[in-house]
Amino acid sequence: MNFSIGQTIKHAILILGALIVIAPFYTMVSYSFKSQREIETGADTGFFGSQEVIIDEFCVHRGQPEREEVKDTLELYPEKTERDVYNILLDEVKKNCTKKPVFFNYQSAFTFAPLLRYLLNGVIVTVSIFLIQVIVALPAAYALAKLRFWGRDFAFSLVLFCLLIPVHAIALPLYIMLAKVGLTNTYAALIIPWTISVFGIFLMRQFFMTVPDDLIDAGRMDGMSEFSIIWKVMLPTAIPALLAFAIFSVVAHWNDYFWPRVVITGERNLFTPPIGMREYRADSDGTFYGPIMAVSTVIVTPLIVAFMLAQKRFIEGITLSGMK
Amino acid sequence: MKTKYLSTLLVALLTLPGSLLQAKVVVEFAYPYSQLFDVTYEKILPKFYEAHPNIEIKMRAAYENYEDGTNTILREAVANKLPDITMQGLNRQAILVEKGIAKSLEPFIAKEANFSKDGYHSAMLKLSTFGNDVYGLPFSISLPVGYYNMDVMAKAGVKSVDDLPKTWEEVIDVCGKLMDAGVKNPMFWGWNITGNWFLQALMWSQGQGVMENGKFMIDTPEGLQALETMKSIFRGCKMPNLSTSDGSTLFTSGEAGMFFWSTSSVASVERAKADFDFKTNGITSRRKCCYDGKSIRRS
């Protein structure tokens, strides 16, 4: 291998960038192993923490001896005071509530709130959004790229214009519209606003521009309808671009905190993973960082795995459609 | 054993009318601060069901804090998906009453046989009285309190609880000594929105309510005095502009010597704090005496 200063500097910068990007992930995974005390005091206990046994306060509160129990026990030890008996019983409870921080964090991740349900909701919402987006975007992109009709350029400039509208700007009217038709706290509220993805239309249109017209003409000559051309000819050629779009779409909606937070106000069963995480927050009255980080780790894992699997296709897709 | 017999009898009496009714009444309910109240409600529910078997409580997702609670209710009011009962911060009731979202409890109270003897003291009910109607019932209350890290305080020569600062001037004085001893962040004072009752406390302690006839009374000598006091505390202690939870972490990590906040955080501080001697103490006001018995009535 030739040694080149330029290459070395380039790689050094890239490695530095990668470290900056990975640092929060490192902290997240590391915190998911640690106890509240280690996290809040910033104790230097390494990546896995000290794993010193902690007392699960919730478990203690749940098992707190009831008055009746104290009275019954008091009858057995008449020489002791009520307070003594209470403390003895409480110590017994505490003994059964000790845990290693890593178990406490991951166990509360799944028991404190129905995380599996949230993950399922995440899958339902992201998959529905993506499928509908494809059903809308493919024909639209095909028409904008390959068909000649009056106002095509204007329609395309509208698509470009819509790319410029930030969702937060239209969140309020969207919310009111959904509220008026009684759709808040439903799956529909989570899905409908995202079904038309102008980004998807734009991306697919750019890709279809590169598909030779001959392919389409051949299809037409064989008597295919326009729609069967879209689904049987264009769709298979567009798989790499679709995969790239899938990653954008799925990541954006799997991780979306803003919109679910607005439209799902109290229906726990509809929580998506990111707003589910909110349940572990209680402001100054005791946010549980350990379980929150455990939940975050659980939530991002499927995405990272999916990206690793589709990495090559993903990069292909981006270069195919975006760089032309 | 006598008491046990008595309580069973009571339960039997209460279950009787319930079993006659068939359809269950579903009551939707939401509360803030899950870490604080989850176990409380878990323990209350079975007892409530025992007493009222014809009612089913449907818990909605917890609000993060009081602000989130009010925001959520306002949004749900637009969508017409309000819960039946919600737990709100004391100082956020007015907006819900003004918008007609909160409903008067008077018709229900009128149906209660022994309401006044059930533990609802009139002074407590006044906190949720608007006009002549009661809109809410008190559930939990916390008070402003001083949290002290005695190990850090020792650096300023404060060795025992008796030496702890008694006035805000003394707090500022201790701050100076701590900073001289190398403590970068000596104190956090909960000024943030949920903690604006510290402002209320500063004004009430001078005999001036925060609101009077729908007007914010900051434009009074007492209001000015309160703001001046806050300014001197913030400047004198070089207090960073943190959120309350970050402020609490500043204290639990063992950095700050003093943390002025609600009694409700004692458990979470106890749970998360570094290894130091932790004490709480009351806060005294600027002036010696304060509460004249009128302020509550005025609110």
Side-chain angles (χ1 to χ4, degrees):
Chain A
M1 281 289 268
N2 289 338
F3 179 77
S4 129
I5 294 181
Q7 284 292 324
T8 315
I9 292 176
K10 230 187 258 173
H11 278 96
I13 291 173
L14 284 176
I15 288 171
L16 192 70
L19 283 179
I20 292 172
V21 172
I22 287 173
F25 282 89
Y26 173 87
T27 312
M28 174 184 79
V29 178
S30 170
Y31 276 12
S32 78
F33 296 141
K34 291 185 179 178
S35 69
Q36 183 81 358
R37 186 160 300 177
E38 284 172 281
I39 295 170
E40 289 214 8
T41 55
D44 182 20
T45 47
F47 182 71
F48 291 102
S50 62
Q51 293 307 326
E52 199 179 299
V53 171
I54 53 162
I55 294 171
D56 177 352
E57 296 289 342
F58 283 106
C59 170
V60 174
H61 286 316
R62 284 199 184 93
Q64 218 166 42
E66 298 279 333
R67 179 157 287 274
E68 297 287 315
E69 208 181 319
V70 174
K71 274 191 183 146
D72 290 351
T73 325
L74 197 61
E75 280 171 19
L76 300 175
Y77 305 96
E79 75 282 359
K80 289 197 158 74
T81 66
E82 216 169 283
R83 173 55 60 180
D84 285 341
V85 170
Y86 176 83
N87 285 338
I88 293 169
L89 287 172
L90 195 65
D91 282 344
E92 199 59 37
V93 173
K94 278 186 183 166
K95 223 180 276 169
N96 293 328
C97 286
T98 51
K99 279 175 193 140
K100 290 210 167 203
V102 59
F103 290 122
F104 171 71
N105 290 345
Y106 280 90
Q107 191 191 26
S108 17
F110 284 95
T111 53
F112 189 77
L115 182 60
L116 287 177
R117 173 76 203 231
Y118 300 164
L119 290 170
L120 176 71
N121 287 340
V123 172
I124 293 174
V125 170
T126 45
V127 169
S128 319
I129 289 177
F130 177 65
L131 285 181
I132 304 178
Q133 279 177 339
V134 169
I135 292 172
V136 174
L138 270 189
Y142 172 73
L144 288 173
K146 294 294 177 195
L147 300 183
R148 292 183 187 283
F149 57 92
W150 184 85
R152 187 182 76 162
D153 291 341
F154 179 68
F156 184 60
S157 57
L158 275 184
V159 167
L160 289 180
F161 173 71
C162 286
L163 272 175
L164 301 176
I165 302 175
V167 53
H168 311 90
I170 51 167
L172 202 55
L174 262 182
Y175 177 79
I176 292 172
M177 276 155 67
L178 288 167
K180 292 283 177 229
V181 286
L183 281 180
T184 59
N185 285 310
T186 60
Y187 280 122
L190 290 171
I191 296 168
I192 289 176
W194 312 112
T195 47
I196 301 175
S197 163
V198 278
F199 174 69
I201 295 174
F202 175 68
L203 194 81
M204 296 320 289
R205 185 249 182 202
Q206 297 305 93
F207 180 80
F208 285 160
M209 293 294 276
T210 67
V211 176
D213 284 343
D214 299 347
L215 202 62
I216 300 160
D217 291 337
R220 286 204 184 111
M221 279 213 275
D222 286 342
M224 289 174 96
S225 72
E226 292 296 318
F227 274 103
S228 56
I229 289 177
I230 294 170
W231 302 120
K232 290 189 180 135
V233 178
M234 300 305 269
L235 177 67
T237 59
I239 293 290
L242 267 183
L243 266 176
F245 175 57
I247 297 250
F248 279 120
S249 165
V250 168
V251 169
H253 296 112
W254 178 267
N255 286 338
D256 189 14
Y257 177 81
F258 175 76
W259 187 247
R261 180 80 178 76
V262 173
V263 287
I264 306 298
T265 47
E267 188 55 71
R268 245 201 184 112
N269 287 334
L270 291 173
F271 275 16
T272 54
I275 38 167
M277 220 155 74
R278 195 173 66 93
E279 296 211 56
Y280 298 85
R281 275 184 54 84
D283 238 34
S284 58
D285 292 314
T287 297
F288 271 155
Y289 296 106
I292 286 187
M293 291 303 145
V295 173
S296 330
T297 309
V298 171
I299 292 174
V300 296
T301 308
L303 285 189
I304 293 177
V305 170
F307 179 75
M308 294 283 180
L309 291 177
Q311 199 179 14
K312 215 176 136 202
R313 288 290 187 91
F314 177 59
I315 293 164
E316 255 173 33
I318 296 278
T319 36
L320 272 175
S321 48
M323 300 301 196
K324 289 269 153 140
Chain B
M1 282 294 104
K2 205 175 173 189
T3 36
K4 211 163 194 179
Y5 172 69
L6 252 179
S7 57
T8 356
L9 186 75
L10 261 175
V11 171
L13 274 178
L14 283 165
T15 30
L16 207 63
S19 55
L20 298 176
L21 288 168
Q22 255 132 47
K24 271 202 174 186
V25 181
V26 177
V27 173
E28 293 204 25
F29 172 62
Y31 58 90
Y33 300 108
S34 55
Q35 316 287 25
L36 216 53
F37 291 116
D38 271 2
V39 179
T40 310
Y41 284 115
E42 261 173 51
K43 290 217 163 187
I44 291 176
L45 260 188
K47 291 179 184 164
F48 180 82
Y49 282 150
E50 234 171 70
H52 306 278
N54 58 328
I55 299 177
E56 191 191 324
I57 302 289
K58 196 173 164 231
M59 291 284 185
R60 291 197 176 179
Y63 313 128
E64 214 167 284
N65 48 37
Y66 285 138
E67 291 72 52
D68 179 35
T70 311
N71 274 338
T72 306
I73 289 295
L74 291 175
R75 249 182 303 132
E76 284 173 337
V78 176
N80 206 13
K81 293 207 171 160
L82 287 164
D84 301 298
I85 302 172
T86 173
M87 185 170 158
Q88 296 284 320
L90 195 60
N91 51 351
R92 311 237 161 21
Q93 300 171 98
I95 186 172
L96 301 180
V97 173
E98 278 161 19
K99 289 186 178 287
I101 296 170
K103 296 281 175 255
S104 164
L105 293 179
E106 293 298 336
F108 300 101
I109 293 173
K111 282 188 211 155
E112 292 288 322
N114 278 320
F115 188 74
S116 56
K117 287 186 183 161
D118 282 346
Y120 295 108
H121 188 269
S122 64
M124 285 158 88
L125 289 179
K126 286 240 162 71
L127 297 171
S128 295
T129 302
F130 294 83
N132 292 317
D133 289 5
V134 173
Y135 283 84
L137 297 176
F139 182 80
S140 70
I141 197 122
S142 44
L143 301 164
V145 76
Y147 292 64
Y148 298 96
N149 179 337
M150 298 308 281
D151 295 355
V152 173
M153 292 302 274
K155 291 181 192 167
V158 178
K159 306 278 186 211
S160 73
V161 176
D162 297 333
D163 297 342
L164 286 173
K166 289 174 188 65
T167 61
W168 294 118
E169 282 93 345
E170 286 179 33
V171 167
I172 297 164
D173 189 44
V174 171
C175 276
K177 286 182 186 160
L178 286 176
M179 284 189 285
D180 288 343
V183 179
K184 265 194 205 150
N185 296 299
M187 183 223 61
F188 185 79
W189 196 90
W191 64 277
N192 316 51
I193 176 162
T194 309
N196 72 16
W197 46 315
F198 270 70
L199 171 70
Q200 296 179 23
L202 284 180
M203 291 182 70
W204 272 344
S205 65
Q206 304 173 70
Q208 172 67 56
V210 177
M211 297 290 288
E212 261 172 33
N213 304 323
K215 274 194 185 146
F216 187 30
M217 300 310 285
I218 200 76
D219 187 19
T220 53
E222 290 85 358
L224 182 65
Q225 177 71 34
L227 289 175
E228 295 278 4
T229 307
M230 285 166 77
K231 181 179 160 190
S232 61
I233 296 171
F234 298 157
R235 298 270 164 94
C237 293
K238 295 233 165 60
M239 190 180 102
N241 181 9
L242 297 174
S243 70
T244 336
S245 56
D246 292 345
S248 147
T249 308
L250 193 65
F251 181 75
T252 51
S253 66
E255 161 79 16
M258 300 174 277
F259 173 45
F260 296 97
W261 184 240
S262 152
T263 45
S264 64
S265 289
V266 171
S268 68
V269 165
E270 193 73 68
R271 199 164 51 215
K273 77 180 182 60
D275 194 17
F276 61 77
D277 185 15
F278 164 47
K279 290 270 185 311
T280 59
N281 202 20
I283 305 168
T284 36
S285 64
R286 211 182 166 87
R287 292 191 322 193
K288 260 266 149 83
C289 135
C290 22
Y291 181 56
D292 57 357
K294 279 181 203 151
S295 332
I296 289 264
R297 237 168 288 150
R298 230 184 263 157
S299 79

